[in-house]
Amino acid sequence: MQNGSPTKPSPRVSSISRRFSYALIGVVTLMLVGFAAFAIFFNVSKMEGELEQRLNKSLELAQISLPKPLWNVDKDTVRDFVKSLFLDKSIVYAKVLWGNLVITEKKHKKFEQKDFSYFESSSRFIAKASDIMHAGQKVGTIQLVMSREIIKKELIVNISVIVNLTLVIIAGISVTSVFITRRYISRPLLELQNSATAIAQGDLEAFIDTSSSDEIGSLAKDLDVMRDSIKQLFGELSDSKDKLEEYSRTLEQKVEVRTQELARSVEELKALGEVSQAVSSTLDLQKVLATIVAHAAELSGTESGAIYEFDEESEEFQLRATHRMSEELIKAIQEAGGKMGETALGRAGVNREAVQIPDILEEPTYPTSETMQQEGFRALLAVPLLREDRLIGGLVVRRRAPGQFQKETVDLLQTFATQSALAIQNARLFREIKAKGRELEIASKHKSDFLANMSHELRTPLNAILGYTELIIDKIYGEVPENIQEVLERVEKNGRHLLGLINDVLDLSKIEAGQLVLSLDDYSMKEVVHTVFTSVESLAAEKNLELKVSVSPEVAQGKGDQQRISQVFLNLVGNAIKFTEVGEVRIEATASNDNFVVSVSDTGPGLSEADQQMIFEEFHQVDGSSTRKKGGTGLGLSIAKKIVEMHGGRIWVESTEGKGSTFWFTLPVRVERQKEQT
């Protein structure tokens, strides 16, 4: 911009000017409006007070003028006084009473039909009544009403004056503020803005008026300083242009190198991901190792590779997987053997660290040197496969170009070596587990066959013994002495106990062998509970225990193996009676969400937390001394659990030591299919 050139109005500066003017006018207007409102309010209050004062003076005048006329009942004097009051144009109603007798009453013609109560209830009037006293006695009453209309008329006049005056003042201030704003703010700011615009457009020699000593002048000086700084900065930028271009070229080279490194890292991560997936998703060792060695060779920049497994018995490395290796090279490696310490891989196994041969020509006595040279390989890197410092095998890669392998390559191959060791170890563990599984399966079958055969062989003679014992006790073979009778009853009791134990063993063997098949049919849960109650009632009575039964009405007919369900009931209730010395045993059965919910509670010694965790395990006995005293093998609860689970239900215990136990189990109301045991 040239000095003295015409300036164009700036919207920004104009906007500032207008906003300042508007703000000033607004503030003044608000102040004047507030003042006007206050003046109006003050006038209203003042006029209201004056009106009420006038009414009070009229009443005081009545107090002075009317006592004697009212005492003498001088109606004419009273009427004249009331007429004189109406000289005040604001009075619209007057009434004088002598007791209840109206002496005189005068109204404004507008209110001919109104009485004093009307004026009292209206905000448009001031209504008051006063007693007239003479010689200390009441001689009458005067009622006066003044209209507030006079206030309204006077108020309108006053408001008009105030509003007009306010408007004149606002107009004057507005004109003054516009003049001051344009003269002292808008014009200097516009000039300063034009200078700034010129500088922004590249004219660093534009004129800036810094003569003013106010804030705008300070801003102009700051702009001038900024222009000098811009000039200096432009100079520095010009000097740095070559350096920046050089740095840019260097940065591009670094970015390219870094991009290549990142691409390589991505490839490495992708390969490691594929290897990890192969290790975790399959037990095919050959496939896993082939994947590992292929990625290892590719990412290390080598032409071939191999993975070996270390045999601890023979202390030899055995070839497991290869990548791009000829049959001749494989044959040469196998003929050379893989003894510890003889080859690069052997030395890596001894030292537990990577070993490399930069140039095979420098080691002519190396076992496979001749074959490697024929294949064109010059360099070799061997990395041991370690698992917790245990030698698992080795990873070997070969390269046709001689020279040392970089540390990054060695580190990468060590990562692949770790994956290889994990794969080989997993394969070994799987083979061991599989072999142990076959052994356990055979042992379990032998156990089940033995238990079944033994149970069958024991039950046959035991049933015969029990049968003959019952016949003797029933005196089929004649009279039996009393002492012999007691012995026989003891024999029968113990024999039946033994038969129960044998049946438990037989049931367990059938369950474990998968030979126990549920007989699913319709049954009544109420009948099952009743049958169990009848069976154990005498046992509870012998120990003076209270046996309680509660079956909810919603317990309907179900489908399942009634005999086996009764067996679960008898086991739980029998155990509760067996281990409870004082108190009660309670059986409860309800139905909820298509399931029977059954509980057997007792007031016995209870169970510890440890026993609660193991109570349903085979051959587990809560207390050795107790079980020897009470009898049992620890199979009953285990069999009950399996029967419940075969129905698709669940069984558990809740107990507190010293407060008793509650055994719970649930059964589907309708069991359509036997659940397989795992």
Side-chain angles (χ1 to χ4, degrees):
M1 183 185 71
Q2 300 296 325
N3 189 20
S5 62
T7 59
K8 296 181 179 180
S10 171
R12 184 178 300 173
V13 174
S14 179
S15 176
I16 294 173
S17 176
R18 284 198 300 272
R19 282 184 288 179
F20 179 80
S21 299
Y22 294 160
L24 181 60
I25 294 169
V27 171
V28 173
T29 300
L30 288 175
M31 292 175 62
L32 292 175
V33 169
F35 175 76
F38 174 76
I40 293 170
F41 176 77
F42 178 78
N43 283 336
V44 170
S45 300
K46 182 180 178 183
M47 294 172 67
E48 182 78 19
E50 290 177 351
L51 188 64
E52 190 167 354
Q53 192 176 20
R54 285 160 57 184
L55 181 61
N56 290 333
K57 286 183 178 180
S58 296
L59 291 174
E60 290 176 0
L61 183 61
Q63 293 283 352
I64 298 171
S65 303
L66 294 180
K68 287 184 178 181
L70 287 175
W71 178 262
N72 297 317
V73 195
D74 185 357
K75 294 182 180 182
D76 292 334
T77 302
V78 174
R79 290 190 187 99
D80 292 340
F81 176 79
V82 170
K83 287 180 181 179
S84 66
L85 291 177
F86 272 78
L87 295 174
D88 188 346
K89 301 296 182 183
S90 61
I91 295 178
V92 296
Y93 178 89
K95 184 179 181 180
V96 180
L97 299 171
W98 187 69
N100 294 325
L101 180 64
V102 179
I103 300 298
T104 184
E105 184 178 20
K106 187 174 178 59
K107 303 177 183 178
H108 194 279
K109 60 183 179 180
K110 290 183 179 180
F111 309 106
E112 292 292 339
Q113 305 300 323
K114 308 296 182 182
D115 57 7
F116 186 72
S117 60
Y118 167 77
F119 297 105
E120 282 185 312
S121 61
S122 177
S123 61
R124 296 163 50 198
F125 307 94
I126 301 176
K128 286 188 178 181
S130 178
D131 294 334
I132 307 297
M133 308 298 292
H134 181 73
Q137 295 182 2
K138 179 181 176 181
V139 294
T141 303
I142 183 170
Q143 297 175 346
L144 288 180
V145 178
M146 277 189 173
S147 175
R148 288 189 169 94
E149 292 294 327
I150 190 171
I151 297 177
K152 184 183 294 185
K153 293 178 181 178
E154 294 180 5
L155 183 62
I156 292 172
V157 175
N158 292 338
I159 289 175
S160 178
V161 173
I162 293 172
V163 170
N164 291 332
L165 181 63
T166 301
L167 291 176
V168 171
I169 294 172
I170 290 173
I173 292 175
S174 298
V175 172
T176 304
S177 66
V178 170
F179 173 76
I180 293 173
T181 301
R182 289 185 176 182
R183 177 66 178 85
Y184 295 103
I185 298 177
S186 298
R187 187 179 298 171
L189 283 177
L190 182 60
E191 294 175 355
L192 187 61
Q193 182 186 9
N194 291 334
S195 299
T197 301
I199 293 172
Q201 293 174 351
D203 185 9
L204 299 181
E205 303 300 327
F207 172 76
I208 300 175
D209 186 4
T210 59
S211 60
S212 178
S213 60
D214 55 10
E215 288 83 356
I216 296 177
S218 297
L219 183 60
K221 294 174 182 177
D222 291 339
L223 182 61
D224 191 35
V225 173
M226 184 188 70
R227 178 177 60 182
D228 294 339
S229 299
I230 293 174
K231 289 180 180 180
Q232 185 180 357
L233 181 60
F234 278 175
E236 294 175 355
L237 290 174
S238 179
D239 296 336
S240 305
K241 183 179 180 181
D242 294 338
K243 295 180 180 179
L244 184 60
E245 291 178 353
E246 179 65 24
Y247 177 78
S248 178
R249 288 190 296 270
T250 305
L251 183 61
E252 288 178 358
Q253 295 174 355
K254 291 181 178 179
V255 169
E256 185 178 358
V257 173
R258 184 57 179 165
T259 302
Q260 294 175 355
E261 293 176 351
L262 290 174
R264 180 178 175 83
S265 298
V266 170
E267 291 296 325
E268 292 176 359
L269 290 173
K270 183 179 179 182
L272 290 173
E274 293 177 1
V275 169
S276 298
Q277 184 178 5
V279 172
S280 60
S281 62
T282 180
L283 293 172
D284 187 349
L285 181 60
Q286 189 64 34
K287 181 180 178 180
V288 174
L289 295 181
T291 302
I292 294 174
V293 71
H295 285 301
E298 181 180 355
L299 293 177
S300 63
T302 56
E303 287 77 24
S304 77
I307 294 178
Y308 301 79
E309 183 178 0
F310 182 70
D311 187 348
E312 293 180 345
E313 293 184 1
S314 63
E315 293 188 349
E316 290 185 353
F317 291 93
Q318 298 176 352
L319 191 62
R320 292 299 186 201
T322 63
H323 177 70
R324 295 180 181 176
M325 288 176 58
S326 66
E327 294 183 0
E328 289 78 9
L329 182 58
I330 294 174
K331 183 179 179 181
I333 292 172
Q334 291 175 341
E335 290 177 351
K339 288 288 186 179
M340 289 283 286
E342 293 182 356
T343 62
L345 181 58
R347 296 198 296 269
V350 173
N351 299 328
R352 298 292 197 274
E353 62 182 17
V355 173
Q356 56 177 301
I357 300 177
D359 193 349
I360 196 68
L361 297 179
E362 297 178 359
E363 296 191 26
T365 60
Y366 192 78
T368 59
S369 175
E370 185 178 350
T371 308
M372 285 183 60
Q373 293 181 46
Q374 292 175 357
E375 298 285 338
F377 296 113
R378 295 286 297 275
L380 178 147
L381 175 63
V383 180
L385 309 184
L386 303 174
R387 197 69 179 169
E388 297 179 353
D389 203 41
R390 180 185 177 187
L391 184 60
I392 304 297
L395 170 63
V396 178
V397 293
R398 298 171 183 84
R399 188 178 64 194
R400 289 188 169 87
Q404 288 279 346
F405 289 87
Q406 295 182 354
K407 183 179 182 302
E408 292 80 4
T409 302
V410 177
D411 294 339
L412 176 63
L413 290 181
Q414 286 176 337
T415 302
F416 283 112
T418 301
Q419 297 291 337
S420 302
L422 179 61
I424 293 174
Q425 189 178 43
N426 288 345
R428 289 178 177 178
L429 291 174
F430 177 72
R431 289 195 296 267
E432 293 176 3
I433 292 172
K434 192 173 181 181
K436 294 293 184 181
R438 286 195 297 268
E439 294 176 2
L440 290 174
E441 185 178 352
I442 294 171
S444 179
K445 188 176 183 305
H446 288 166
K447 184 195 75 172
S448 298
D449 292 342
F450 170 76
L451 291 175
N453 292 331
M454 182 191 72
S455 299
H456 183 267
E457 294 297 328
L458 289 175
R459 282 203 306 179
T460 300
L462 185 58
N463 282 324
I465 293 171
L466 291 174
Y468 283 118
T469 303
E470 288 179 359
L471 292 175
I472 296 173
I473 292 173
D474 293 339
K475 301 178 181 179
I476 300 299
Y477 299 106
E479 292 293 328
V480 181
E482 186 175 348
N483 57 340
I484 301 291
Q485 182 85 8
E486 294 177 358
V487 173
L488 290 173
E489 290 176 353
R490 209 159 30 247
V491 169
E492 183 188 20
K493 182 179 179 180
N494 291 328
R496 294 200 178 279
H497 178 67
L498 180 59
L499 182 62
L501 297 180
I502 293 173
N503 287 333
D504 287 345
V505 174
L506 184 60
D507 286 341
L508 182 63
S509 64
K510 286 182 178 180
I511 293 172
E512 291 183 346
Q515 298 175 356
L516 184 63
V517 180
L518 298 179
S519 179
L520 302 178
D521 203 355
D522 293 337
Y523 72 97
S524 172
M525 179 59 77
K526 293 181 180 179
E527 291 182 4
V528 171
V529 174
H530 178 72
T531 301
V532 172
F533 176 83
T534 304
S535 300
V536 300
E537 188 176 16
S538 60
L539 297 176
E542 290 178 3
K543 300 183 69 173
N544 293 323
L545 297 176
E546 188 175 0
L547 186 61
K548 298 180 179 179
V549 176
S550 175
V551 181
S552 299
E554 63 266 19
V555 175
Q557 190 172 6
K559 184 177 182 180
D561 193 328
Q562 180 173 343
Q563 180 181 354
R564 295 297 179 183
I565 294 172
S566 298
Q567 183 180 350
V568 174
F569 263 108
L570 287 170
N571 184 281
L572 296 179
V573 179
N575 279 350
I577 295 174
K578 183 190 299 183
F579 291 99
T580 302
E581 299 298 333
V582 179
E584 66 178 27
V585 175
R586 179 183 292 272
I587 306 171
E588 295 184 359
T590 61
S592 176
N593 299 325
D594 297 327
N595 283 281
F596 292 129
V597 182
V598 181
S599 66
V600 178
S601 305
D602 62 59
T603 56
L607 300 169
S608 65
E609 292 185 4
D611 285 329
Q612 292 180 44
Q613 300 295 325
M614 304 173 63
I615 192 68
F616 296 103
E617 294 183 5
E618 298 171 6
F619 302 105
H620 176 76
Q621 297 178 345
V622 175
D623 182 352
S625 62
S626 178
T627 49
R628 283 193 295 272
K629 180 180 178 182
K630 305 294 183 180
T633 62
L635 293 176
L637 290 177
S638 176
I639 294 172
K641 180 176 183 294
K642 294 181 184 299
I643 291 174
V644 170
E645 291 176 347
M646 290 171 70
H647 280 81
R650 186 170 73 94
I651 188 170
W652 70 97
V653 64
E654 297 174 357
S655 182
T656 303
E657 287 189 274
K659 296 184 179 181
S661 304
T662 300
F663 284 82
W664 296 83
F665 70 89
T666 62
L667 293 174
V669 175
R670 307 289 298 179
V671 181
E672 302 295 340
R673 183 179 179 184
Q674 177 177 328
K675 187 177 181 181
E676 295 182 0
Q677 292 290 292
T678 57

